[in-house]
Amino acid sequence: FENKKSAILLREFVQSCFTASTLLTLSSESSLCSTFRLSTSAGLSLCHSLFYSLPRRPWRPASVFFEIRGMADQDQKILESNEFAEKEKIVRGKKRTSAVWNHYDLITKTDGAWAVCKYCKHEMRAHGHVGTTNARRHTKKCDAYVKFVQTNPASNVVYDHDTYVKMFAESIIYHGYPLSMVEHIKTIDLHRYLDPNVKDISRYTITKYVMGEHESRICLTCDGWTACTSRAYFALLAHFIDNDWKLNAFVLNFHRFPPPHDGESIFQFVKSLLNEWDIEKKVFSITVDNASANDKMVEKLRKDVHSSSPLPLDGKYFHIRCAAHILNLIVQKGLQMIDASVKKLREVVRFIDSSDARLSAFDKAILDCGDRTSFRGKLVLDVTTRWNSTYNMIRRALDAKEAIDLFILRERELEMIFDEEWETIGNICDFLEPFYDITELFSGTQYPTSNSYLACVINIEKLLYDSHKDPSNVVRRMAKPMWEKFDKYWSEHSLILSFGLLLDPRYKMACLNDLYSSLYVPVAVEGKVNEIHSAFVALYECYAKNSQAHMVMQHSVSDSGPSNLNRPFKAKKILKNFNPHSCSSRTTKSDVDSYLNLPFVVDYDGFDILEYWKAQSVSYPTLALMARDILAIPITSVAFESAFSAGGRILNKLRSSLLPKNVEILVTTRSWLFGFKLEENDEEVLSVAREATTDDVANE
């Protein structure tokens, strides 16, 4: 350069253009040279290097081309007033990216740039490209630095933001901290005290990291809720199995959702939420109830998700219908035929629960019964929209039969419940008990449920079929409409959920054959078993073709204890007659048949199917990847019950003015911190919420 100050101004000019996102073009090299008074080819070459060293921007012609001429009189003032230009004189020959420069202070002397060791104050030249090797050599032999490192072992760790975010996310997942912890003032102060270079991160940033880290797909559930303020809210939940093979379920959003609530509006709303979380490419399935608007929404969402990231088998198994909702529709049909004796019992329970005086009189009746009853506690009144509450009311009333009879004798206002009516009530309770047990099994949020789907559905089918020959008239009357409703929704079983049974090492194909044999003739059994097996193999081949299975299980062999999140003990009732040792094995032909031909795992208390597949991920990586996706599918949307109950406690008549965004923060953070455990008074909240929402039966 003829004028070094003009070269510095050139750097300032380019830097200011980049900072302000100014878009410009240089008409020719000669114009650049003349504008900045560059006279040598070396100067021009250095100028080109400066341009290409900057981060790339979409350059285009600008309306104004800046010319810097006649600045000789102003050069000194600019250099004195511009701190950036002063630093450029020190380090701008080439950006110093080596971590070794964190241990040096750069200063300017009359003869150029110098580096000063922070520990021993040794000085060395640092002009232009020179100095990195010398600095590294000095650091290794600097006694003051060695002593400093020995007394401060963590001092030589250079802050890396990606590592910081990763470690923070791992601590949140491991300890169950709330996502908002990253925004806590004292947490930020603590981290800045440990390292002043720490950058702030938000709750959404940390959540996107957590959702993006695991390599399995995400299974969604969504539903609507109407608050006591008559305002509609929409909840979106994510379910996935992480790299440590732990099942996770989180409320992503609890958004205010104004009308209309048709399929197109729900689709656009869900799509915007997925884009907000940046997870549209990781979605595997969505579980919803049978509302017609949901059917339209799911079809549009399937096409949209498939266009951004191809779904297995073109999204054939994307739509999952809520099994608990279907089961509720089936049982509600039967309860419409309920006997008058149950209605009489309901009036008795309502009468007892209507005042403290009557509750005290009932407690006295219990004491007066003495050894004739072991009932302790209180009766519960059912909610007509929740059939399981009717079952609980009947079950507790049967336990307190003697006390109820004595109470009715003392209260002349009530009709007597005769022995024949008690027998009918008992028959109804026995008939509803399997449905209650299966609903409890379906409703789990801390353990996989898809491996229980097929066995439960077939047991319900067999129960309804056998009920046509039940000696009780009321059971036969209830079974007929229930069978019609079952045939409408479950005449064809969900294939993707049926795969869960095959992925359970305690059952596999032999159990599938055993289940169908209890209902169908051998020819029909063979056809159904082959259909499921063929579909399972087709899905396996799709995974094998589209995935790099050897990279999937990087974290699978890490040491971690079992999750201890097992299915309820009542699940064993569903398959109590299955004997794996009586079943023949299949001929080994592929990885699928090789797995199916493995010895059955003994069903023991504490068996964890996720731990099993974690151990098998090395031998069967593609099957393990399938297992992670399929076992993460929630077969119900019951997890919303917790979100809705939390919303009901947060947004009540005394707090009806809460802003929707604050309601969302409180509900979502609770799910991340405490999971989906219902509290004692949640049933009342849920019943009110359910009555405020669109009627399930109307939506079927």
Side-chain angles (χ1 to χ4, degrees):
F1 294 97
E2 292 179 346
N3 190 330
K4 293 184 178 180
K5 296 177 183 178
S6 293
I8 294 173
L9 287 170
L10 170 61
R11 291 192 176 95
E12 269 193 23
F13 166 68
V14 176
Q15 178 66 25
S16 64
C17 289
F18 171 70
T19 303
S21 298
T22 303
L23 304 178
L24 70 156
T25 185
L26 302 177
S27 57
S28 66
E29 295 177 353
S30 60
S31 65
L32 178 66
C33 294
S34 62
T35 301
F36 289 96
R37 301 198 292 275
L38 303 179
S39 61
T40 66
S41 59
L44 184 58
S45 175
L46 179 60
C47 184
H48 283 185
S49 298
L50 175 61
F51 273 92
Y52 287 112
S53 67
L54 290 173
R56 294 191 179 276
R57 290 280 182 165
W59 302 91
R60 63 190 176 113
S63 59
V64 178
F65 183 79
F66 296 95
E67 293 188 356
I68 304 177
R69 290 192 178 98
M71 296 184 295
D73 297 336
Q74 303 178 12
D75 284 349
Q76 187 62 35
K77 294 181 180 179
I78 294 175
L79 291 175
E80 291 175 354
S81 62
N82 197 324
E83 182 182 357
F84 173 77
E86 187 68 29
K87 292 182 179 179
E88 287 293 285
K89 291 177 64 178
I90 300 174
V91 298
R92 264 299 185 178
K94 182 179 180 182
K95 186 176 180 181
R96 302 184 185 277
T97 58
S98 174
V100 73
W101 293 109
N102 293 320
H103 305 297
Y104 292 85
D105 293 321
L106 299 177
I107 62 174
T108 304
K109 292 187 178 182
T110 56
D111 57 346
W114 287 73
V116 181
C117 178
K118 294 181 178 180
Y119 311 101
C120 68
K121 305 306 178 183
H122 173 73
E123 296 183 2
M124 65 183 70
R125 283 188 175 275
H127 180 67
H129 307 284
V130 180
T132 301
T133 302
N134 292 336
R136 189 179 293 111
R137 185 183 298 115
H138 170 76
T139 303
K140 292 180 179 179
K141 66 180 183 179
C142 179
D143 294 335
Y145 171 71
V146 173
K147 183 178 180 180
F148 179 78
V149 171
Q150 290 175 349
T151 55
N152 301 273
S155 62
N156 61 337
V157 178
V158 180
Y159 172 77
D160 181 76
H161 187 64
D162 291 337
T163 303
Y164 170 70
V165 174
K166 179 179 179 180
M167 295 181 68
F168 211 150
E170 289 175 351
S171 67
I172 287 175
I173 296 172
Y174 185 82
H175 296 289
Y177 296 143
L179 288 178
S180 57
M181 181 181 180
V182 298
E183 299 172 346
H184 292 174
I185 299 300
K186 291 302 179 182
T187 300
I188 296 174
D189 290 345
L190 172 63
H191 291 185
R192 283 179 177 169
Y193 170 76
L194 296 174
D195 191 330
N197 297 317
V198 167
K199 300 177 183 178
D200 295 347
I201 54 179
S202 67
R203 175 168 63 98
Y204 291 100
T205 300
I206 201 73
T207 306
K208 287 180 180 179
Y209 182 89
V210 172
M211 300 299 293
E213 271 298 287
H214 69 91
E215 293 158 347
S216 63
R217 287 182 175 261
I218 298 171
C219 302
L220 301 174
T221 52
C222 61
D223 203 354
W225 175 73
T226 303
C228 63
T229 58
S230 300
R231 300 294 186 268
Y233 285 80
F234 189 88
L236 179 68
L237 274 70
H239 308 254
F240 62 92
I241 296 173
D242 60 26
N243 290 339
D244 288 326
W245 287 88
K246 307 298 180 185
L247 182 63
N248 296 268
F250 300 117
V251 180
L252 297 182
N253 295 93
F254 197 82
H255 259 31
R256 173 81 173 85
F257 186 36
H261 298 159
D262 54 18
E264 178 64 26
S265 300
I266 299 175
F267 161 69
Q268 294 295 342
F269 198 69
V270 173
K271 180 181 178 181
S272 67
L273 296 180
L274 295 181
N275 291 335
E276 177 185 345
W277 286 103
D278 194 24
I279 58 174
E280 63 275 6
K281 293 184 179 180
K282 298 181 73 66
V283 176
F284 179 70
S285 69
I286 183 168
T287 303
V288 293
D289 60 29
N290 294 300
S292 57
N294 285 337
D295 292 342
K296 297 176 182 178
M297 178 272 294
V298 170
E299 181 58 24
K300 288 178 174 291
L301 186 64
R302 182 190 67 81
K303 294 178 180 178
D304 184 75
V305 170
H306 185 62
S307 64
S308 60
S309 178
L311 293 165
L313 299 180
D314 298 328
K316 181 180 180 180
Y317 304 125
F318 183 73
H319 187 184
I320 307 296
R321 297 188 182 275
C322 175
H325 182 260
I326 295 175
L327 192 57
N328 177 65
L329 294 176
I330 293 172
V331 179
Q332 288 287 5
K333 272 295 182 181
L335 291 180
Q336 292 177 4
M337 310 298 296
I338 205 164
D339 193 76
S341 56
V342 176
K343 299 178 182 178
K344 187 185 294 187
L345 175 62
R346 182 182 293 121
E347 292 302 318
V348 171
V349 175
R350 181 180 289 111
F351 182 84
I352 294 173
D353 196 47
S354 61
S355 70
D356 287 340
R358 291 168 180 171
L359 286 172
S360 298
F362 181 70
D363 291 339
K364 187 176 184 302
I366 293 175
L367 294 175
D368 292 343
C369 287
D371 296 337
R372 289 184 296 160
T373 181
S374 59
F375 179 78
R376 295 294 182 270
K378 68 174 186 177
L379 301 175
V380 292
L381 184 63
D382 67 336
V383 179
T384 55
T385 57
R386 300 178 64 84
W387 74 267
N388 52 342
S389 66
T390 302
Y391 169 78
N392 283 324
M393 179 190 73
I394 294 174
R395 186 182 60 182
R396 292 200 184 190
L398 288 170
D399 293 338
K401 174 180 176 300
E402 292 78 8
I404 292 175
D405 286 340
L406 182 58
F407 179 83
I408 293 175
L409 286 174
R410 295 174 177 177
E411 296 287 341
R412 299 180 181 275
E413 302 178 36
L414 296 173
E415 287 187 68
M416 191 69 185
I417 301 179
F418 299 102
D419 290 342
E420 295 81 4
E421 293 174 315
W422 278 115
E423 182 180 358
T424 299
I425 293 173
N427 291 334
I428 294 174
C429 184
D430 293 339
F431 178 63
L432 293 179
E433 182 178 8
F435 294 94
Y436 181 84
D437 292 342
I438 291 173
T439 300
E440 290 290 299
L441 181 60
F442 279 173
S443 303
T445 58
Q446 295 183 314
Y447 54 86
T449 54
S450 57
N451 57 321
S452 304
Y453 163 83
L454 187 62
C456 291
V457 171
I458 291 179
N459 272 270
I460 291 173
E461 185 176 5
K462 189 174 189 308
L463 176 65
L464 292 175
Y465 180 81
D466 294 341
S467 297
H468 287 87
K469 298 175 287 186
D470 194 276
S472 173
N473 291 330
V474 66
V475 171
R476 291 198 301 272
R477 289 202 307 271
M478 292 175 63
K480 183 178 180 180
M482 292 172 69
W483 176 265
E484 294 173 355
K485 187 65 66 174
F486 177 94
D487 190 60
K488 177 180 178 180
Y489 289 109
W490 277 341
S491 59
E492 296 294 332
H493 304 144
S494 170
L495 286 176
I496 188 67
L497 297 180
S498 301
F499 298 161
L501 186 71
L502 302 186
L503 293 169
D504 194 321
R506 296 167 295 178
Y507 308 125
K508 299 189 284 190
M509 291 294 296
C511 181
L512 187 65
N513 186 82
D514 188 70
L515 286 169
Y516 280 123
S517 297
S518 64
L519 280 172
Y520 303 102
V521 297
V523 176
V525 170
E526 183 179 1
K528 289 183 175 293
V529 170
N530 289 337
E531 178 188 10
I532 294 177
H533 180 264
S534 299
F536 185 76
V537 172
L539 183 61
Y540 170 83
E541 292 174 349
C542 178
Y543 270 78
K545 181 185 301 182
N546 298 330
S547 67
Q548 295 179 351
H550 65 279
M551 298 178 61
V552 170
M553 304 301 162
Q554 294 176 353
H555 306 307
S556 298
V557 295
S558 60
D559 293 332
S560 61
S563 63
N564 292 325
L565 301 176
N566 305 304
R567 299 182 302 162
F569 71 95
K570 290 181 180 179
K572 295 182 179 179
K573 294 182 179 180
I574 307 301
L575 294 167
K576 60 184 179 180
N577 295 323
F578 173 61
N579 179 15
H581 301 291
S582 63
C583 305
S584 59
S585 60
R586 301 171 62 91
T587 303
T588 302
K589 295 181 179 179
S590 65
D591 280 352
V592 172
D593 288 327
S594 176
Y595 155 70
L596 295 175
N597 200 46
L598 289 176
F600 291 94
V601 173
V602 177
D603 190 3
Y604 59 89
D605 291 334
F607 172 77
D608 191 334
I609 189 172
L610 298 183
E611 284 296 314
Y612 172 84
W613 276 108
K614 178 180 179 180
Q616 293 292 330
S617 59
V618 177
S619 302
Y620 301 100
T622 304
L623 277 173
L625 180 59
M626 284 178 56
R628 283 177 64 176
D629 290 344
I630 294 173
L631 295 177
I633 297 176
I635 63 176
T636 71
S637 56
V638 173
F640 283 107
E641 305 288 357
S642 176
F644 294 154
S645 66
R649 287 192 306 275
I650 293 168
L651 193 63
N652 53 44
K653 294 180 180 179
L654 300 178
R655 303 173 67 189
S656 58
S657 61
L658 276 176
L659 294 176
K661 65 177 182 180
N662 294 335
V663 174
E664 180 176 37
I665 290 172
L666 293 171
V667 172
T668 54
T669 303
R670 180 185 186 273
S671 80
W672 283 78
L673 182 58
F674 300 110
F676 296 97
K677 182 179 180 181
L678 294 177
E679 297 186 2
E680 182 178 356
N681 297 324
D682 283 353
E683 284 296 325
E684 181 180 354
V685 175
L686 289 173
S687 64
V688 175
R690 281 302 184 189
E691 290 174 357
T693 55
T694 306
D695 182 48
D696 285 342
V697 178
N699 279 338
E700 62 173 300

